[in-house]
Amino acid sequence: MSNYDNGVATVTTTPAKLVTVQGENDGILIQNQGSVIVYLGGPSVTADQTATGGYQVAANSSVLVPSVGGTQHDLWAVAASTTAKVAWLQPILGI
């Protein structure tokens, strides 16, 4: 049996943990509900195209982020400017 973990967070121009991705699933669905680009990555993610720049999620779009090797990991986000609402949905297996 499975269930879902979901939520919505406000992402700002300061990197912050968005959600902990469960390792036993196929990934997490991320939806940028804002009007600015959101960048996804680790704790040092930046909102640019440098070496620390994250994966870009365009305004009003979604992406499936794969899980990492069967282990839990934190997914961080930062907005290119102002703020953006970001939603997530992921299955939780074994509940």
Side-chain angles (χ1 to χ4, degrees), residues 12-81:
T12 68
T13 56
T14 301
K17 184 175 104 170
L18 179 63
V19 63
T20 299
V21 179
Q22 301 302 310
E24 68 274 1
N25 64 33
D26 290 332
I28 184 168
L29 187 60
I30 302 292
Q31 180 187 40
N32 179 357
Q33 299 175 338
S35 60
V36 299
I37 295 171
V38 170
Y39 294 80
L40 304 175
S44 61
V45 65
T46 56
D48 53 38
Q49 296 177 355
T50 65
T52 57
Y55 182 84
Q56 292 184 29
V57 182
N60 298 307
S61 65
S62 299
V63 63
L64 178 64
V65 178
S67 59
V68 178
T71 59
Q72 286 187 345
H73 63 281
D74 293 336
L75 183 62
W76 290 62
V78 63
S81 62

